């Protein structure tokens, strides 16, 4: 039998009053219909500081993947955004689902200031675009629970699982979320969960088969 790459996908539970979270729905779809050559397991994480990292650690120990892709939602972004850098700080704009609002607190006290994603981020972007799904490199995953998980994942892999690759991708609003916003949603970009899954699947294939990232423009001025 051909080699199969074991992949762990994580998505978040709903937060900020939304009824669902497309990061989790897309993860479920990919686990049910994985790209050829990939064995995909999906685990939902709490949108809660600290607890999410405990759940992530348990998922990695349980599934023993060789590739981990964590997903989250960044409503207002127009495309799939592959995060380049995780920073060692929690600085909450809104409370998490347990009501916590940390301000300027390190995720890992004494840990590195930042980690670059151990993924071929530009190859992932290119693969999604080749599949017809818009994508780009993002230079910031924010300072909410998404960055918390991204940094926690990068630290876990760097210190305990150096042979495992991993990273973080933000997905946009789904159309029904924009509709639910009413007038406040006017002009906000959206993407169907099916398209999210298509682009993410292409990214997983690229991440599983690309040892050295491609060199092409993916920078930003701000």
């Amino acid at each position: 039998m051909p080699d199969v790459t074991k992949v762990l996908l994580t998505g978040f539970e709903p937060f900020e009053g939304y009824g669902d979270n497309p990061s989790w729905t897309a993860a479920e779809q990919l686990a049910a219909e994985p790209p050829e050559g990939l064995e995909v397991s999906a685990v939902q994480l709490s949108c809660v500081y600290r607890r999410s990292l405990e759940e992530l650690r348990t998922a990695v120990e349980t599934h023993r993947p060789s590739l981990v892709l964590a997903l989250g939602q960044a409503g207002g972004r127009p495309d799939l955004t592959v995060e380049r850098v995780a920073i060692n700080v929690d600085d909450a704009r809104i409370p998490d689902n347990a009501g916590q609002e940390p301000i300027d607190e390190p995720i890992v006290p004494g840990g590195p200031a930042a980690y670059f994603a151990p993924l071929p981020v530009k190859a992932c972007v290119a693969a999604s675009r080749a599949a017809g799904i818009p994508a780009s490199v993002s230079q910031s995953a924010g300072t909410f629970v998404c960055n918390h998980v991204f940094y926690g994942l990068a630290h876990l892999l760097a210190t305990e699982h150096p042979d495992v690759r991993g990273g973080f991708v933000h997905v946009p609003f789904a159309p029904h979320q924009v509709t639910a916003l009413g007038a406040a949603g006017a002009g906000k970009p959206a993407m169907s969960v099916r398209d999210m899954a298509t682009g993410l699947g292409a990214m997983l294939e690229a991440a599983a088969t690309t040892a050295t990232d491609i060199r092409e423009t993916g920078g930003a001025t701000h």
Side-chain angles (χ1 to χ4, degrees):
M1 294 180 63
D3 291 338
V4 174
T5 300
K6 294 184 67 173
V7 178
L8 172 64
L9 273 180
T10 70
F12 281 108
E13 66 183 352
F15 74 106
E16 203 173 5
Y18 292 103
D20 63 349
N21 191 322
S23 71
W24 171 240
T25 312
E28 283 188 303
Q29 285 195 16
L30 271 170
E33 303 175 49
E36 185 175 355
L38 303 183
E39 178 186 315
V40 180
S41 301
V43 172
Q44 187 181 79
L45 301 182
S46 302
C47 190
V48 177
Y49 291 104
R50 302 299 169 195
R51 185 189 305 167
S52 56
L53 295 188
E54 294 169 3
E55 294 166 344
L56 176 64
R57 172 182 287 277
T58 297
V60 170
E61 292 174 349
T62 299
H63 295 283
R64 298 295 179 183
S66 57
L67 175 63
V68 183
L69 190 64
L71 310 177
Q73 183 168 45
R77 293 189 185 182
D79 55 1
L80 301 178
T81 48
V82 185
E83 299 297 341
R84 192 201 298 255
V85 185
I87 60 173
N88 191 13
V89 65
D90 290 332
D91 192 1
R93 176 183 62 85
I94 57 174
D96 68 9
N97 283 359
Q100 301 174 101
E101 291 186 79
I103 298 175
D104 297 340
E105 294 182 10
I107 299 166
V108 177
Y115 284 104
F116 284 110
L119 273 188
V121 294
K122 292 183 178 179
C124 289
V125 168
S128 181
R129 290 174 178 171
I133 308 301
S136 60
V137 176
S138 169
Q139 319 304 332
S140 172
T143 54
F144 194 50
V145 185
C146 286
N147 176 75
H148 184 82
V149 164
F150 182 20
Y151 185 92
L153 171 62
H155 187 73
L156 176 65
L157 300 187
T159 57
E160 299 182 36
H161 302 280
D163 294 332
V164 180
R165 306 177 85 186
F168 197 100
V169 177
H170 271 114
V171 303
F173 279 130
H176 70 273
Q177 292 180 297
V178 173
T179 301
L181 290 172
K188 291 190 180 295
M191 179 183 292
S192 72
V193 173
R194 172 55 62 185
D195 283 351
M196 293 178 195
T198 297
L200 292 166
M203 290 181 183
L204 289 179
E205 291 181 292
T209 58
T210 305
T212 303
D213 204 2
I214 61 178
R215 287 179 61 86
E216 67 176 30
T217 299
T221 55
H222 57 79

